[in-house]
Amino acid sequence: MKQRVLQLGIYACICLVLGYGYIKANTNSISKEVSVIDYNDYKQIVYLDKDGLLIPVGYEISGFPTLQSEVKELFNLMQDAGSLKDELSPIVSKDTKLESVILEEDILQLHFKELHTNEELRFLEALTFTFCQLDGVNGIELFLNNEKLNQLPQGDILFNEPLTKALGINNFELGSERLYDTDSLVVYYAKTINKEEFYVPMTKRISSQSNLDDQLNSIVSEVSVSSTLSQASLLEGIQILEGSYLNEGHLYVNMNDAILLDETSINQDIY
């Protein structure tokens, strides 16, 4: 899957984060309003790479008459990496059987006849990330043979409440207590797979008391040198300066001039 397809979901996420950009360059200022573009026909399916990271891949998904049929198509795609099978593997095994799905208010109930996984946290992240993209779905619940689950067979992670986007994706924190006593912040890094650059979402767990500047700096911070990931090339040299603030749903971000193409224009690929 080409990078330009993968970027669709990334841009939407960045737009949500950078609702309104504000950049100071020397004594002048340049502002740019960023809008969210909704690509309803594109959905991201996540697969597992050789380093144990979930990699989102974009697919064009449209024309399904019901939510149930769309969910089952996404689930089938999660079980088969297709042309990427040499580099990525399905996080959902073929012997995991999804029997039915029910939307109860805004919670999607996934009813399994059989459920098998060796990667418990990644499995939960993948299901949540994939199905919470759907319109009207803000969380998921898992059932096995009509019994509601609060843990998977391995029993490492408890989930008494519906799983939501707050769970995050590619968490480094494996313990239940860290997953639920912190806020999640999704940051995108880059990874080269088969000579193509993929954007990889990584959830950082941050203190609920952290301020706005700390959260923004986490978005553009360098990844650990021991990681197989790298900072996205577009973010190299960008710094968050003092003076960012949130007002009536608009986020004003004060950055250095590394975001500029020239003295009067912003690099549109950044946002």
Side-chain angles (χ1 to χ4, degrees):
M1 189 62 58
K2 299 296 184 182
Q3 178 181 330
R4 62 178 179 273
V5 177
L6 297 174
Q7 287 175 332
L8 295 175
I10 310 308
Y11 288 157
C13 180
I14 292 176
C15 287
L16 289 171
V17 175
L18 300 180
Y20 194 95
Y22 177 75
I23 300 93
K24 277 188 176 179
N26 299 322
T27 58
N28 300 318
S29 66
I30 300 173
S31 63
K32 179 69 178 180
E33 185 170 0
V34 181
S35 302
V36 176
I37 301 174
D38 192 5
Y39 295 91
N40 285 326
D41 290 343
Y42 282 89
K43 297 293 184 290
Q44 290 185 308
I45 308 298
V46 290
Y47 300 106
L48 198 65
D49 77 354
K50 297 174 183 178
D51 296 310
L53 293 173
L54 292 175
I55 309 294
V57 177
Y59 288 86
E60 186 173 2
I61 305 290
S62 61
F64 291 95
T66 64
L67 175 67
Q68 288 75 11
S69 60
E70 186 174 15
V71 168
K72 289 189 175 181
E73 175 63 16
L74 295 179
F75 185 80
N76 290 337
L77 288 171
M78 294 179 75
Q79 293 181 304
D80 186 357
S83 61
L84 297 169
K85 63 183 179 181
D86 291 337
E87 302 295 336
L88 303 175
S89 59
I91 188 63
V92 180
S93 65
K94 287 286 188 182
D95 55 359
T96 292
K97 308 297 183 184
L98 181 62
E99 189 171 32
S100 64
V101 297
I102 300 172
L103 184 63
E104 186 70 27
E105 294 184 351
D106 61 347
I107 303 301
L108 185 67
Q109 298 177 352
L110 303 173
H111 289 259
F112 294 94
K113 187 175 182 179
E114 296 182 43
L115 200 162
H116 305 275
T117 178
N118 294 322
E119 298 281 351
E120 182 176 355
L121 178 59
R122 294 292 181 253
F123 179 81
L124 295 175
E125 291 174 334
L127 291 180
T128 306
F129 184 91
T130 300
F131 294 122
C132 284
Q133 298 174 92
L134 300 175
D135 291 339
V137 176
N138 291 318
I140 64 171
E141 293 178 334
L142 309 184
F143 293 76
L144 179 60
N145 296 323
N146 295 320
E147 182 178 346
K148 184 178 177 180
L149 300 178
N150 60 11
Q151 62 184 56
L152 293 181
Q154 290 178 327
D156 293 333
I157 298 175
L158 297 175
F159 45 93
N160 293 319
E161 301 295 329
L163 297 167
T164 69
K165 290 180 180 178
L167 174 64
I169 184 171
N170 288 321
N171 282 277
F172 281 133
E173 305 288 351
L174 300 180
S176 296
E177 67 281 358
R178 286 293 292 163
L179 293 175
Y180 294 108
D181 68 2
T182 55
D183 292 332
S184 64
L185 177 67
V186 177
V187 179
Y188 284 88
Y189 294 111
K191 184 170 187 178
T192 300
I193 300 176
N194 197 21
K195 298 182 180 180
E196 290 192 30
E197 186 179 66
F198 284 65
Y199 288 111
V200 182
M202 181 75 64
T203 296
K204 292 186 174 183
R205 312 305 306 188
I206 59 175
S207 169
S208 301
Q209 306 303 317
S210 61
N211 59 40
L212 180 60
D213 285 339
D214 289 340
Q215 295 180 36
L216 293 173
N217 276 301
S218 293
I219 294 174
V220 298
S221 64
E222 292 283 355
V223 70
S224 169
V225 294
S226 62
S227 175
T228 58
L229 302 173
S230 62
Q231 187 181 44
S233 55
L234 290 173
L235 297 181
E236 291 179 358
I238 292 177
Q239 297 177 354
I240 303 296
L241 308 178
E242 294 182 359
S244 300
Y245 62 95
L246 184 64
N247 182 35
E248 296 183 351
H250 286 146
L251 180 61
Y252 295 79
V253 185
N254 188 18
M255 299 180 179
N256 67 340
D257 58 7
I259 201 173
L260 301 177
L261 280 176
D262 52 47
E263 291 185 356
T264 60
S265 60
I266 301 169
N267 183 352
Q268 295 188 25
D269 290 336
I270 295 294
Y271 57 83

